[in-house]
Amino acid sequence: LAFLGSASMLGIVVRHKRQPQALVYDIVLVAFRQGFLLAMLVTVLVWLQAQRLVGPLTVGLGFVAAVLMEAYWARRDSRLVAAQRRL
């Protein structure tokens, strides 16, 4: 939980510095989503490490799964924003 909050706050600060004109809601939404994915990845990898199941393949598959989920959510969000702009 602490890692989720720390990663999200760091994401908010970085996104706000890089995109000062963006809406705060959008910045917070993306930062918390990415923080959640990163926290879940770390939590699962630590749990797998405790079970002695971590290897390079496991880490790679976890990273690929997190990237694919983020790509799906980012694409879905961009479609929703485009649909709202048309209204």
Side-chain angles (χ1 to χ4, degrees):
L1 192 56
F3 189 73
L4 169 63
S6 299
S8 298
M9 291 305 293
L10 181 63
I12 289 170
V13 170
V14 169
R15 286 189 178 283
H16 186 65
K17 294 288 184 192
R18 293 187 76 205
Q19 301 172 346
Q21 74 282 0
L23 293 175
V24 175
Y25 173 80
D26 293 334
I27 291 172
V28 171
L29 179 72
V30 171
F32 271 94
R33 182 178 66 215
Q34 290 177 344
F36 175 76
L37 282 173
L38 184 60
M40 284 301 297
L41 179 63
V42 169
T43 303
V44 167
L45 288 175
V46 167
W47 180 77
L48 288 172
Q49 175 66 29
Q51 304 298 320
R52 298 179 187 248
L53 297 173
V54 171
L57 181 62
T58 309
V59 174
L61 288 175
F63 182 74
V64 167
V67 167
L68 289 175
M69 285 192 293
E70 173 59 26
Y72 169 74
W73 282 331
R75 183 177 167 99
R76 188 190 67 177
D77 286 349
S78 67
R79 285 184 178 177
L80 290 175
V81 169
Q84 289 174 351
R85 287 184 184 158
R86 282 187 235 143
L87 295 177

